Amino acid sequence: MINLGQGVVVVGGQWGDEGKGRVVDVMARYADAIVRFQGGNNAGHSLKIGDLSLVLHLLPCGIVRKDKLCLIGAGVVLDPEALLKEIAELDLLGFHVGPHNLQIAKNAHVILPVHKLIDHKREEVAKNPIGTTKRGIGPCYEDKISRFGIRVMDLLCEKILIERIKNILIERHSYSESSLKEILSWSLSFGQKLKPYLSDVGEIIHELLIKGKRVMFEGAQGSLLDVDHGTYPYVTSSNCLAGEAALGSGIGPKWLSDVILVTKPYCTRVGEGPFFTEADEETQNKWRQKGGEFGATTGRPRRCGFLDLPLLKYAARLNGATSIALTKTDILTGMGKIKVGVGYDNATNFLDAMSLFGQKQKVYPKYIELEEVPSFSPSVKNLNDLPFTVRKLCDLIEDFTLVKVNFVSFGAKRGDELWLNL
Ligand code: IMP
Ligand code: MG
């Protein structure tokens, strides 16, 4: 951690659920503030602190550490109900959240109940559903881009609210006096509850950086779910890449000094869409049981498969990764020989493979096989304590991406990790 600069971005190198929460949790120790900059409560960041396991959806993972300032940037879409529920749940666990340790960008957009309804309905009737989390994320971003969304600060002004809610309902063909009234009272009540948390988050971050403090930017979802560069249309509705850390928080890109790309030694995805190295059902079940591969937000079983190195190479380039964090290596134990995707028979790279998928053609991955991984977790102190296959995986990842692996974790709890080359 010693060699990291001031603006540290942590992003997912696959389709989300790579263990970003796990990485941010340990690194937050060395940061002054932690920022969520995109997505919403579609995210599920799992943490294990001693015997306590918890999942955060909207709050940055730094919230479980005393004296860390947590920030929600303008690029996030905020469901006020979900936020207040998460705050209340954390309070019961002894983690106190208030304006002293949480500030929210005034100009973040609000997820309204109507957005959730649209998300639900659309997924139910779609011929080719995306498999969204049904949290209203897409419809909220749609309204923002269409320029009739509601920002958190709008919740404080009745006159503006009436105008904007009317607009949304008319645009969404669901205008009625009673809907207007219902949404208005919902909005005003949440406006008052959120008021103490609202500020110019970009300004706060800028001030911290100018003073030489370190800020961590916690990505949500993953590179392949990015709306521009992911496996479109099977993506989320925001940019999940490192560049968004600047835009979604309200600072300039010059402040982003380090980009940590998080990856598992295998792949998972929830929802529909291309997954070239997806395993057969029996193997998927093994990964699911061993790795607890069930959605932290929706509980859905995750689709599982093998590490896809061309995919990781693509993600490393998209993010300008400066280091790689390899998580969940303990899950490899007991999985037999480890297959790794090193290319495709009928495509030159990941984007090329995506084009084939778009033309409804099958993509054939090329694999190599690495030897079985013995049980190893408790005794790891340095690189040589890691099993041969894990070290080989690090080498392969570095050869493909030209980025150093700086972090390897081999257990869910704090301390089950190794820092390399730092
Ligand atoms: P949405 O973000 O709810 O619109 O869902 C779009 C796609 O992104 C679906 O395939 C979801 O399963 C996936 N997705 C959204 N958030 C996450 C996440 O945090 N982890 C993994 N997949 C996600
Ligand atoms: Mg997750």
Side-chain angles (χ1 to χ4, degrees):
M1 195 63 201
I2 309 96
N3 284 337
L4 291 178
Q6 278 189 269
V8 182
V9 190
V10 177
V11 279
Q14 297 167 325
W15 285 284
D17 309 313
E18 301 92 349
K20 294 178 291 297
R22 166 84 176 78
V23 173
V24 172
D25 179 49
V26 288
M27 291 200 178
R29 203 173 131 202
Y30 306 99
D32 299 285
I34 301 93
V35 189
R36 271 285 309 268
F37 55 89
Q38 48 74 224
N41 60 319
N42 48 349
H45 293 176
S46 306
L47 306 181
K48 194 161 193 308
I49 306 163
D51 290 334
L52 178 70
S53 296
L54 76 159
V55 181
L56 295 171
H57 299 286
L58 200 46
L59 293 167
C61 286
I63 205 75
V64 297
R65 289 187 183 268
K66 275 203 182 103
D67 309 323
K68 300 291 172 191
L69 178 61
C70 287
L71 300 163
I72 293 181
V76 168
V77 285
L78 188 109
D79 178 339
E81 277 172 325
L83 178 76
L84 295 175
K85 186 166 167 261
E86 197 164 311
I87 290 176
E89 284 169 1
L90 277 180
D91 202 65
L92 288 177
L93 295 172
F95 302 108
H96 303 301
V97 184
H100 65 287
N101 61 352
L102 175 68
Q103 286 292 306
I104 300 168
K106 287 176 187 184
N107 47 344
H109 276 250
V110 178
I111 299 178
L112 300 171
V114 61
H115 293 137
K116 288 185 261 187
L117 279 178
I118 296 166
D119 202 358
H120 262 99
K121 240 195 227 161
R122 203 183 266 166
E123 284 288 300
E124 266 160 35
V125 301
K127 208 170 120 222
N128 295 308
I130 303 291
T132 72
T133 60
K134 300 182 181 170
R135 299 294 191 270
I137 306 293
C140 181
Y141 276 117
E142 285 165 25
D143 286 4
K144 163 176 160 170
I145 302 301
S146 303
R147 290 157 295 185
F148 50 80
I150 292 181
R151 295 161 305 171
V152 201
M153 63 180 163
D154 300 329
L155 302 179
L156 302 176
C157 176
E158 185 163 351
K159 212 168 123 203
I160 292 175
L161 261 178
I162 294 175
E163 206 177 286
R164 300 197 77 83
I165 298 169
K166 252 190 199 164
N167 234 341
I168 289 186
L169 291 173
I170 292 166
E171 290 282 353
R172 295 289 191 183
H173 308 292
S174 51
Y175 181 78
S176 73
E177 271 297 316
S178 61
S179 304
L180 172 64
K181 267 196 189 148
E182 199 181 309
I183 301 177
L184 181 65
S185 90
W186 182 95
S187 302
L188 287 169
S189 116
F190 279 111
Q192 285 314 305
K193 288 177 188 152
L194 294 181
K195 199 171 166 186
Y197 292 95
L198 303 191
S199 57
D200 182 346
V201 159
E203 178 68 15
I204 296 176
I205 299 171
H206 191 242
E207 287 291 313
L208 286 168
L209 291 166
I210 280 179
K211 284 184 195 145
K213 306 281 184 195
R214 182 179 284 132
V215 179
M216 286 201 81
F217 299 87
E218 176 179 342
Q221 290 79 53
S223 303
L224 278 305
L225 288 173
D226 181 89
V227 66
D228 287 313
H229 300 280
T231 48
Y232 191 87
Y234 299 99
V235 292
T236 190
S237 300
S238 66
N239 287 107
C240 322
L241 300 172
E244 182 64 15
L247 287 171
S249 343
I251 55 152
K254 73 164 184 174
W255 292 107
L256 308 180
S257 52
D258 303 81
V259 176
I260 300 169
L261 188 73
V262 187
T263 180
K264 289 191 280 210
Y266 54 97
C267 276
T268 64
R269 92 173 282 177
V270 258
E272 304 307 316
F275 185 169
F276 306 130
T277 56
E278 191 164 10
D280 60 50
E281 198 47 41
E282 196 189 328
T283 313
Q284 290 204 42
N285 266 328
K286 273 171 78 181
W287 286 115
R288 259 176 224 138
Q289 297 313 325
K290 186 86 206 298
E293 297 297 352
F294 295 88
T297 299
T298 58
R300 290 178 289 177
R302 293 178 184 147
R303 295 162 63 193
C304 300
F306 308 105
L307 183 66
D308 184 339
L309 286 171
L311 176 156
L312 200 62
K313 179 180 176 179
Y314 179 61
R317 191 257 290 168
L318 290 170
N319 288 288
T322 56
S323 70
I324 288 181
L326 179 64
T327 59
K328 293 186 101 162
T329 56
D330 52 316
I331 306 303
L332 299 172
T333 302
M335 292 302 294
K337 290 211 170 183
I338 304 299
K339 268 168 81 169
V340 180
V342 292
Y344 313 104
D345 277 336
N346 53 343
T348 50
N349 58 28
F350 188 76
L351 200 54
D352 196 29
M354 280 219 290
S355 314
L356 288 183
F357 176 86
Q359 296 156 15
K360 301 201 186 306
Q361 290 188 50
K362 197 168 158 39
V363 173
Y364 298 96
K366 280 194 276 215
Y367 292 106
I368 57 165
E369 239 178 29
L370 306 181
E371 64 187 51
E372 293 186 20
V373 178
S375 184
F376 67 101
S377 298
S379 55
V380 173
K381 293 279 178 292
N382 59 54
L383 188 63
N384 289 331
D385 296 332
L386 290 170
F388 173 78
T389 288
V390 177
R391 281 182 283 145
K392 180 77 190 158
L393 274 171
C394 293
D395 289 345
L396 280 168
I397 289 171
E398 291 183 353
D399 288 349
F400 259 78
T401 60
L402 304 179
V403 180
K404 284 273 178 213
V405 176
N406 287 144
F407 175 104
V408 179
S409 74
F410 38 85
K413 64 177 198 308
R414 281 179 187 167
D416 287 346
E417 68 259 338
L418 192 64
W419 300 89
L420 307 164
N421 311 308
L422 275 176

